[in-house]
Amino acid sequence: MKKNTLSFVLSALCAVTVYADNPAFNWPQFRGPNRDDISKETGLLKEWPADGPKKLWNYTNAGSGYSGFSVVDGHLYTMGTRDGGEILICLDADKGNELWIAKLGNILDNKWGNGPRGTPTVDGDRVYTLSGTGDLVAVQAKDGKELWRTSMESLGGKRPGWGYTESVLVDGNQVVCTPGGPKGAMAALDKMTGKVVWQSDKWTDGAQYSSIVPADINGQRQYIQRSMTNIVGIAAKDGALLWEQPYPGKTAMIPTPIVKGNQVYFASGYGVGSMSFDVEPGNQIKMLYDETGATPNKVMKNHHGGVILLGDKLYGYSDGVGWTCQDFKTGQLVWSEKAKLGKGAISYADGHFYLLEEGSGNVVLIDATPNGWHEISRFKLDPQTSIRSPQGHIWTHPVISNGRMYLRDQDLIFCYAVK
């Protein structure tokens, strides 16, 4: 090999190694580092080949469930089922081989598909995860050794109809979750021991299906969460109820809250729509737009699959409207596109949205722009599972981490090169 060729190859290998191990591109929890489904990676493919980006590997033994991915330091963590129980799975993120599994508890039985729904949360040398039946387990990241466990039932919770779907939050020294119920709908546990630090005894609604978002509003650290009837801000230090805003839902409240500055935004499906308000000093609520009040807003009726705030615009799928861009401040429709792609999940990286259609498995790359739908590339997920419930779809969100895109259809996990 000529000297200049060898130098080029070595440089390229070094670049790949540095990129793959870059902690800035880790994806340690549901919806990424900031729980917003936004990746900060650059240098990704601007378009894909006709048959899609190169498939690097396909793991086939994840079992049932809709659990998403955390990807940290070359390891991929998700949940599934095996041998009559729910499990936490660790894979080599680059090669797809199984490194270890940890047992969680019984399998959630549900007509929409059995198994876990949430995403593991990685914090340092530990992984925290909540099973579909409500077992909260902490394990060592290196080998899956169990460190402690508790249950939502022991915290006074009653499992919601479709199981616990929350992806627990690790914030400082606390693991925060939403068991729901009379002891306190939200609970903070010591992340090292699992002992209860506090429960929100002034907020006792039943658990729904969204995940907590942390925020600093008016100088106060707080956790934003929703129930079927209310949106709340809970003090991070002691679980006090800081503010509560009625938000009547229907059937299920699923999408993750969005917070920017002191503006809080929620969307919901089943015809409900979106609500946004400012939390002003003194924890006073100033309504900006409201799906039930004087300024009803039906622009973003997001059932699930996520809504992303990019700049001052919101993007996601709205039932009856299609893929939608909504103004964050006013709630007004910017654009919508229903014919090009059906309902699904969304993620963002390097100027593009990655869309996964739940019914077909079509994966589409579009420009992230308020100027309308501009499709770049698409391909269809192949193969697709044979074990999915007839009532279920492909509901796991796409994850882009370290130049790779990870997708899941029940027992099948896919890794594609997108750099």
Side-chain angles (χ1 to χ4, degrees), residues 260-274:
K260 183 178 181 180
N262 68 336
Q263 184 178 345
V264 178
Y265 172 94
F266 283 83
S268 185
Y270 302 97
V272 174
S274 58

Side-chain angles (χ1 to χ4, degrees), residues 158-241:
K158 180 181 179 182
R159 187 170 73 204
W162 298 335
Y164 281 101
T165 70
E166 180 179 22
S167 302
V168 298
L169 172 71
V170 179
D171 185 50
N173 294 320
Q174 300 182 150
V175 180
V176 194
C177 58
T178 315
K183 288 186 178 181
M186 189 182 295
L189 314 178
D190 184 298
K191 73 178 183 180
M192 302 307 291
T193 66
K195 293 182 178 179
V196 177
V197 177
W198 53 254
Q199 281 193 248
S200 60
D201 59 357
K202 300 300 183 185
W203 182 51
T204 57
D205 292 352
Q208 278 290 296
Y209 306 98
S210 66
S211 295
I212 296 165
V213 167
D216 293 293
I217 299 177
N218 299 318
Q220 189 160 24
R221 187 69 169 176
Q222 54 194 269
Y223 302 133
I224 314 301
Q225 183 57 301
R226 72 197 309 172
S227 68
M228 179 61 76
T229 54
N230 295 295
I231 303 168
V232 297
I234 302 293
K237 64 179 181 179
D238 58 11
L241 178 61

Side-chain angles (χ1 to χ4, degrees), residues 20-299:
D21 294 336
N22 191 336
F25 301 145
N26 283 338
W27 197 263
Q29 60 180 333
F30 179 56
R31 304 193 80 205
N34 298 312
R35 296 204 156 195
D36 56 9
D37 260 325
I38 291 178
S39 167
K40 296 186 182 300
E41 293 191 44
T42 58
L44 303 181
L45 295 175
K46 300 304 179 185
E47 61 180 334
W48 300 332
D51 58 351
K54 180 181 179 181
K55 186 190 296 183
L56 299 177
W57 52 262
N58 182 194
Y59 175 78
T60 62
N61 197 25
S64 298
Y66 300 103
S67 177
F69 311 116
S70 291
V71 185
V72 176
D73 297 337
H75 295 81
L76 179 147
Y77 304 90
T78 190
M79 292 185 287
T81 61
R82 191 177 299 174
D83 299 328
E86 293 190 2
I87 58 172
L88 173 62
I89 304 168
C90 178
L91 305 180
D92 184 308
D94 296 326
K95 300 177 182 178
N97 54 298
E98 185 178 298
L99 301 178
W100 53 257
I101 66 165
K103 295 182 179 180
L104 300 177
N106 296 328
I107 297 176
L108 174 71
D109 184 16
N110 185 267
K111 73 174 185 177
W112 300 99
N114 297 340
R117 275 91 162 105
T119 297
T121 301
V122 184
D123 179 66
D125 60 358
R126 295 183 171 214
V127 183
Y128 303 86
T129 201
L130 180 63
S131 75
T133 57
D135 293 300
L136 175 54
V137 183
V139 306
Q140 291 184 161
K142 65 179 181 180
D143 57 12
K145 179 183 177 181
E146 185 173 314
L147 300 171
W148 58 259
R149 73 166 53 220
T150 189
S151 70
M152 298 300 98
E153 183 179 9
S154 71
L155 296 171
K158 180 181 179 182
R159 187 170 73 204
W162 298 335
Y164 281 101
T165 70
E166 180 179 22
S167 302
V168 298
L169 172 71
V170 179
D171 185 50
N173 294 320
Q174 300 182 150
V175 180
V176 194
C177 58
T178 315
K183 288 186 178 181
M186 189 182 295
L189 314 178
D190 184 298
K191 73 178 183 180
M192 302 307 291
T193 66
K195 293 182 178 179
V196 177
V197 177
W198 53 254
Q199 281 193 248
S200 60
D201 59 357
K202 300 300 183 185
W203 182 51
T204 57
D205 292 352
Q208 278 290 296
Y209 306 98
S210 66
S211 295
I212 296 165
V213 167
D216 293 293
I217 299 177
N218 299 318
Q220 189 160 24
R221 187 69 169 176
Q222 54 194 269
Y223 302 133
I224 314 301
Q225 183 57 301
R226 72 197 309 172
S227 68
M228 179 61 76
T229 54
N230 295 295
I231 303 168
V232 297
I234 302 293
K237 64 179 181 179
D238 58 11
L241 178 61
L242 299 176
W243 52 266
E244 185 174 40
Q245 171 59 43
Y247 181 11
K250 294 179 182 178
T251 309
M253 304 291 269
I254 302 171
T256 307
I258 292 174
V259 183
K260 183 178 181 180
N262 68 336
Q263 184 178 345
V264 178
Y265 172 94
F266 283 83
S268 185
Y270 302 97
V272 174
S274 58
M275 170 187 282
S276 190
F277 51 84
D278 287 336
V279 182
E280 298 191 318
N283 292 316
Q284 299 300 305
I285 303 298
K286 178 184 178 183
M287 191 60 61
L288 300 175
Y289 44 95
D290 174 8
E291 90 295 359
T292 60
T295 55
N297 193 292
K298 303 291 185 179
V299 169

Side-chain angles (χ1 to χ4, degrees), residues 31 37 254-255 302-307 317 323 344-347 395 397-398:
R31 304 193 80 205
D37 260 325
I254 302 171
N302 185 255
H303 181 199
H304 48 63
V307 177
Y317 189 88
W323 290 97
I346 183 171
S347 193
W395 284 329
H397 290 210

